[in-house]
Amino acid sequence: MRCLKCNVDLGENYTLCPLCGEKASNEEPLLKGFTVAPYPVNSPVKPLPKEEKPKYGLSKERIKAFFNL
C-alpha cells in the first residue's frame, strides 16, 4: 500500500494515509523487506518503596539544649 499524495509506503492494514487522510492505493511499496514492528506490551508500574522519615527523640533536655546554645 502507498499514499500517492505523501509518497510514502504504508502497511497492509492501512486503507487511509495517517498523515494526510487520502485513500491508500494498492501499488507496490518502493522499499521492500521492511516489516511493521509491534509495540511492546507495557508491564504494570510498580509503586516506589516508601521512604521512612528519621525519628527524632525530642525530650525536654534536647529542646533546652537547642535553645540554650
Side-chain angles (χ1 to χ4, degrees), residues 1-2 17 19 31 33 37 40 42 46 57 59 62 65 68-69:
M1 302 296 270
R2 284 189 55 74
C17 176
L19 300 174
L31 301 174
N42 292 334
K46 296 178 183 176
S59 62
R62 286 189 146 203
N68 292 328
L69 299 172

Side-chain angles (χ1 to χ4, degrees), residues 1 6 18 26 30 32 34 37 39 41 45 55 61 65 67:
M1 302 296 270
C6 297
N26 281 334
L30 295 178
K32 297 182 182 187
F34 288 100
Y39 284 103
V41 177
V45 178
K55 296 180 181 178
E61 291 79 24
F67 289 106

Side-chain angles (χ1 to χ4, degrees), residues 13-66:
N13 54 348
Y14 288 100
T15 56
L16 296 175
C17 176
L19 300 174
C20 66
E22 287 287 320
K23 189 174 178 181
S25 67
N26 281 334
E27 290 187 18
E28 288 291 319
L30 295 178
L31 301 174
K32 297 182 182 187
F34 288 100
T35 58
V36 178
Y39 284 103
V41 177
N42 292 334
S43 61
V45 178
K46 296 178 183 176
L48 295 173
K50 292 183 180 179
E51 295 181 18
E52 292 187 25
K53 295 180 181 176
K55 296 180 181 178
Y56 297 109
L58 293 177
S59 62
K60 285 184 186 179
E61 291 79 24
R62 286 189 146 203
I63 293 173
K64 285 181 186 177
F66 179 77

